[in-house]
Structure formats: C-alpha cells, structure tokens
Amino acid sequence: MYVVSVINYKGGVGKTTVTANLGAELANRGMKVLLIDLDPQASLTFGFYDPDDWRERLRDSRTVKRWYDGLRGGQPTVTLGELVVSPGPANSRLSGAGRLDLIASHLQLVDIDLALARSVAGGEEYDAELFRVRGSLAEGLLADGLDPYDLVLIDCPPNFNVVTQSAIIASDHLVIPAKADYLSTLGIDYLHGNVRELVDQYNADARRFATVRRHQKVAPDVAGVVFTMIQLLSRQPIATHQSYMDQVRNLGLPVFPTPLRENVTLYATNTPRGVPVVLRDRVTVPAVRDELRRLATEFLEHLQPERHPR
C-alpha cells in the first residue's frame, strides 16, 4: 500500500483537483484507492457528495473528525475502516475491478487540530504525547478494520498543524501542487525544509518513545511538484510561468513533466455530480482530461519504477 499526501501551504493551487482526479484515474486503471479529506474546507468531500447528503448521512458519524476526536482520549473510538464510504456516481464510471473510496472531512476539523495541539502543549510528557499524535494516522492505516488498498491519497489542509503532520508521517510520498508564481515557489522550498525537520525529529523521538522495538524509520520523499493553472501559448507554458517552473527545478525537487492548464469553467463544473473530470465521457476541452491521465502515468512511474521503465 502506498500512502501519498497532497500538500501545499498555499490554498487555491489545485490540491483537491489533483487528489480527486489522480485517485479516480488510478481507480479506473484497476487500483483500489482510498481518498482521505483532512481539509476542514471539505472541498474533496463536497466534490463527491452534495452538502445536504453530507449533513444527512456523514456529518454526525462518518467523517475523519470522529476518528481524531478519539485521539484526545488516548485511543480512537472508531477505526478508519468504519468511516469509509464509496461515492456511487464516481464508482459507476470505473472500468475493471478498481474502486474509489473516501473518508470524508468535517467543517469542524479545524477545531480538532487546535484541541490536539492544546492537549499536547498542556501535557506533562510533551515530547511523548506529540510523538503519539504525529504517528496516529500511520497506525490507523495499518490497524484492523481497514480494507487493503493499493493507494491512499490524503488531501491535506494548507497549514503545518498537527493533523497535517500526522499525514506526512503516515506517507511514503508527497505530491506538491503549485501555481507558477512567486509565493508558490517560495513556499515549496519552505515546506520541503519543514518536512525534513519534522521527519528528522520524529525519527529521533522514535528511539525514545516507540513501543515497537524495531520502529520503522519514516522517510517520505517528494514524488514531484505538479504545476497547475498554467497558461499556454503555442501549447507551451507562457514565459513567466516557465521561469517559475525552472526555479523549482533548480531547487533540486522533481517536477512532473505534465503541467495542468488553467480551465476554471471545466474544473468548477460538477456535472455529472460527483464525477471527477478525468472520468467524464464528454468534456469541453479534451486536452484537460488528457493532461490528468498523463499525470497519473507519471505518478505511477515514480511509485513503481520497476514496472514503468523510462
């Protein structure tokens, strides 16, 4: 099972679009994919479920907030497997034996983040408690009650709080969606540095606090930066965008070869409802769907280089 966090400090960079379409395309290719929405804005969740449906069926008992609620008492009161739902419209579009499941977010998840932070800050054993909370999602994904998945994609909030840190610690890889502008370029370098510091600290703490004798070392890598909302001229990114893309490459970070062009209308249209762009039969700009599919192939080449030789 591969666990991948989709993350960026900056909001509005296409994080949710990348998560939903990457997961949907790989499910369409036969993989069993679980999406986890950790963003309190719940955009990923509402991409698959109408808000009224979410309120009636999911809000009170089947969101990831319920699982994180339990951490304040020491142990989750439910397993992650009890929270999984299968969005019908998206799954009806899949070919083959793939599956696309979701653990929904909650608008009050931001309060959980603050509550977890307070519980850590107020405890006498600060370092041990912080280590436990940071490693909680990794343990939850390995616990009984969760069906085996080929891939788990986590849509992270645009911050570096405790919930986000738990996603990074659970991950094998990170995907960083970004716009080709000054703030995104600056933020990527800052994010990468903070991830390294978090991982180093967690691995050091594991030697002090891990209850398992041979605790597995955490070492998520950056699968790649995917540039979104790119403006094209003669099928190539405009010069300004290309300049920022080159700056990120100069940081030494991998960049996915296929950028995603800007198309506000297509991505904003949820028709048919609950079906990501990559699964739609008819789209006004087929090139957008083709880019998403190429991105999925490039992503798989990183995850499974032995199966996808360059």
Side-chain angles (χ1 to χ4, degrees):
M1 179 176 72
Y2 302 100
V3 181
V4 180
S5 281
V6 184
I7 184 170
N8 194 316
Y9 282 153
K10 195 169 182 293
V13 298
K15 240 179 353 79
T16 298
T17 295
V18 169
T19 305
N21 284 279
L22 194 57
E25 174 61 16
L26 295 179
N28 197 43
R29 298 186 190 187
M31 297 180 73
K32 293 181 175 64
V33 179
L34 174 64
L35 308 179
I36 302 179
D37 189 357
L38 294 187
D39 194 334
Q41 296 183 60
S43 297
L44 181 66
T45 298
F46 294 141
F48 291 99
Y49 287 91
D50 181 272
D52 289 336
D53 197 19
W54 173 82
R55 279 190 290 269
E56 293 175 7
R57 296 178 51 200
L58 306 179
R59 179 182 62 181
D60 294 333
S61 60
R62 300 195 74 174
T63 75
V64 74
K65 175 182 176 293
R66 186 180 174 199
W67 186 83
Y68 276 106
D69 269 331
L71 292 181
R72 290 181 290 172
Q75 294 293 330
T77 56
V78 294
T79 66
L80 290 174
E82 293 176 74
L83 305 177
V84 172
V85 293
S86 297
N91 278 279
S92 69
R93 298 297 183 100
L94 301 181
S95 58
R99 189 171 84 237
L100 185 65
D101 289 343
L102 171 72
I103 296 179
S105 186
H106 196 291
L107 302 179
Q108 293 180 350
L109 188 59
V110 64
D111 298 330
I112 293 299
D113 210 333
L114 293 173
L116 288 173
R118 283 196 299 269
S119 69
V120 169
E124 295 181 1
E125 300 295 335
Y126 173 88
D127 290 342
E129 179 65 6
L130 183 58
F131 173 78
R132 181 186 72 85
V133 172
R134 283 172 168 170
S136 59
L137 187 58
E139 291 188 8
L141 289 171
L142 295 175
D144 294 337
L146 187 68
D147 287 343
Y149 288 93
D150 301 307
L151 174 67
V152 177
L153 282 173
I154 306 173
D155 189 11
C156 296
N159 59 47
F160 208 71
N161 291 340
V162 179
V163 167
T164 305
Q165 291 175 22
S166 72
I168 293 170
I169 295 302
S171 296
D172 305 300
H173 308 277
L174 308 177
V175 170
I176 306 175
K179 294 173 66 175
D181 60 22
Y182 174 75
L183 289 178
S184 286
T185 304
L186 183 67
I188 289 170
D189 193 27
Y190 187 52
L191 170 64
H192 190 224
N194 279 354
V195 168
R196 287 198 306 267
E197 291 181 10
L198 169 66
V199 169
D200 289 345
Q201 184 62 59
Y202 183 82
N203 286 328
D205 288 344
R207 293 191 289 270
R208 301 166 58 197
F209 305 120
T211 56
V212 179
R213 179 176 295 180
R214 293 175 180 252
H215 185 80
Q216 185 174 357
K217 186 177 180 180
V218 171
D221 73 344
V222 177
V225 176
V226 53
F227 280 100
T228 63
M229 306 179 194
I230 294 295
Q231 296 178 28
L232 302 178
L233 180 64
S234 299
R235 299 185 180 182
Q236 296 297 321
I238 61 174
T240 303
H241 285 177
Q242 188 63 60
S243 174
Y244 285 116
M245 294 164 70
D246 291 341
Q247 286 183 35
V248 171
R249 290 188 177 93
N250 291 336
L251 294 174
L253 293 173
V255 175
F256 288 110
T258 300
L260 303 180
R261 73 184 66 198
E262 185 174 35
N263 194 301
V264 177
T265 302
L266 181 57
Y267 284 123
T269 301
N270 197 4
T271 305
R273 178 147 197 99
V275 178
V277 171
V278 76
L279 295 180
R280 296 178 193 171
D281 296 328
R282 299 178 181 178
V283 294
T284 54
V285 185
V288 171
R289 186 178 56 197
D290 295 341
E291 289 167 357
L292 292 166
R293 290 173 176 171
R294 287 200 301 273
L295 175 64
T297 297
E298 294 161 5
F299 176 71
L300 278 180
E301 288 173 351
H302 180 86
L303 294 190
Q304 304 171 336
E306 71 283 355
R307 297 185 184 181
H308 301 84
R310 293 181 181 272

